[in-house]
Amino acid sequence: MTRVAAVDCGTNSIRLLVADADPVTGELVELDRRMTIVRLGQGVDRTGRLAPEALERTFAACREYAAAIKELGAQRVRFVATSASRDAENRDEFVRGVLDILGVEPEVVTGDQEAEFSFTGATKELAGRDDLAKPYLVVDIGGGSTEFVVGEEHVQAARSVDVGCVRMTERHLVVDGEVADPPTFEQVAAMRADIEAALDLAEETVPLRAAHTLVGLAGSVTTVSAIAQNLPEYDSTAIHHSRVSREKVREITEWLLRSTHAERAAVGAMHPGRVDVIAAGALVLLSIMERIGAEEVVVSEHDILDGIAFKVAEDAEQA
């Protein structure tokens, strides 16, 4: 077992996993897993730049993570940055800040690399289960992009498309700087059309409908599961490997799209940073399920972070 630290910095959140990992057996003993909503992608779709306040929120979280990594004595650290920092003109500023704080340079990975990490993290522990038919379709709904990966033991096809809960919210649901409360029929229709176009794009290279098990990752999916279970507060144990039917996802999505900010904020399991973007994230999930005819989604708390951790441990063994 190698003690490693993995950091995943996305458009909406930054997350840390410190764990003892064995890439051969697939065993991973979690020591610290945390998430901070930093909205690094704030305004990137419109301006093409990372906002100063978004950078500062991200660097503040990095300082907290650096302290945790040092305290737990992780031998190796890997920092992976995804959609927002791929798109930004001033990403050098972001890279310098992370390097100063954590001592490692953030790797701005491609969508395909992101998909590989997500698939490994989500499916490594599913090996040997006979109740989940292969191939899997792993769907990672992020803030700025969504990754689609089809595979069995390994990735067979992958594609990243630019639809995510933050990007869709900012593009379609923000008027005069405020999120529609609730959105109009026309706003929702425009968002749905964008999502459907992205699914068309994904299907050009990934056989989405060939999969027998849909595995959903990231905060939009896990929050939908929490709502489906009426959890009084967020509970990773209850959410991990829960199953949510398409009809339940539709019911929740329709409620989120007609609810007000206050109504969504009152949901016990809702992270405050997800209140304004959860409706868009749920709509992405529903659209995927309808497109491929999935009767249910298997929800995983293990995702790109776990995939990164396994890769760091594997690299350490080979060094």
Side-chain angles (χ1 to χ4, degrees):
M1 302 280 275
T2 305
R3 183 157 296 182
V4 299
V7 181
D8 168 38
C9 185
T11 304
N12 194 44
S13 62
I14 183 169
R15 300 180 305 139
L16 168 70
L17 171 63
V18 181
D20 292 329
D22 185 336
V24 177
T25 64
E27 186 181 2
L28 186 142
V29 179
E30 181 181 313
L31 302 172
D32 192 345
R33 188 188 294 262
R34 62 178 79 180
M35 183 269 287
T36 311
I37 300 280
V38 294
R39 284 284 181 87
L40 178 62
Q42 173 194 330
V44 166
D45 198 45
R46 178 176 51 83
T47 66
R49 296 181 63 81
L50 298 168
E53 61 271 30
L55 283 168
E56 185 43 51
R57 289 192 299 266
T58 304
F59 294 154
C62 286
R63 285 187 278 271
E64 286 181 19
Y65 292 1
I69 290 166
K70 183 177 180 181
E71 184 181 339
L72 289 168
Q75 296 160 260
R76 292 192 173 220
V77 182
R78 189 168 184 177
F79 188 114
V80 169
T82 53
S83 181
S85 53
R86 277 202 303 269
D87 302 339
E89 292 171 10
N90 60 332
R91 64 184 181 187
D92 288 351
E93 190 178 343
F94 166 69
V95 170
R96 284 196 304 273
V98 172
L99 184 58
D100 286 347
I101 296 165
L102 284 165
V104 294
E105 196 167 307
E107 298 173 54
V108 182
V109 297
T110 65
D112 285 346
Q113 288 173 302
E114 198 174 334
E116 183 82 42
F117 287 137
S118 293
F119 186 82
T120 300
T123 64
K124 214 166 184 55
E125 65 185 331
L126 300 181
R129 284 188 57 166
D130 55 12
D131 60 326
L132 298 176
K134 298 175 184 177
Y136 308 113
L137 169 60
V138 175
V139 175
D140 188 341
I141 302 172
S145 62
T146 295
E147 281 64 56
F148 297 87
V149 198
V150 167
E152 296 191 13
E153 280 74 27
H154 300 287
V155 172
Q156 294 169 352
R159 184 73 179 262
S160 177
V161 295
D162 283 340
V163 291
C165 59
V166 174
R167 194 185 296 268
M168 290 297 95
T169 300
E170 291 191 347
R171 187 177 291 174
H172 297 291
L173 305 185
V174 174
V175 179
D176 297 329
E178 297 291 330
V179 177
D181 191 23
T184 65
F185 174 83
E186 290 76 17
Q187 287 173 314
V188 174
M191 182 164 60
R192 183 68 181 247
D194 242 12
I195 295 167
E196 293 296 337
L199 290 175
D200 290 342
L201 203 59
E203 280 202 290
E204 289 178 5
T205 48
V206 180
L208 303 182
R209 300 169 213 242
H212 295 305
T213 298
L214 174 64
V215 182
L217 315 182
S220 292
V221 181
T222 58
T223 301
V224 166
S225 172
I227 295 171
Q229 297 182 66
N230 289 312
L231 297 179
E233 58 187 21
Y234 196 92
D235 181 346
S236 295
T237 304
I239 290 166
H240 188 49
H241 290 172
S242 60
R243 301 184 186 197
V244 188
S245 71
R246 185 171 71 230
E247 286 311 306
K248 192 66 178 177
V249 172
R250 179 179 291 112
E251 176 189 316
I252 290 167
T253 302
E254 289 174 353
W255 177 76
L256 289 168
L257 286 168
R258 67 173 183 267
S259 64
T260 64
H261 177 96
E263 288 169 335
R264 295 189 300 277
V267 174
M270 183 80 69
H271 190 288
R274 210 168 287 285
V275 174
D276 285 334
V277 299
I278 183 60
L283 185 60
V284 173
L285 174 61
L286 177 62
S287 301
I288 293 165
M289 296 181 78
E290 290 178 344
R291 172 67 68 102
I292 69 172
E295 294 297 329
E296 66 174 13
V297 58
V298 178
V299 181
S300 179
E301 282 276 6
H302 294 180
D303 50 29
I304 187 172
L305 266 182
D306 303 75
I308 296 165
F310 280 124
K311 181 61 176 167
V312 177
E314 184 181 304
D315 290 346
E317 284 192 1
Q318 293 173 355

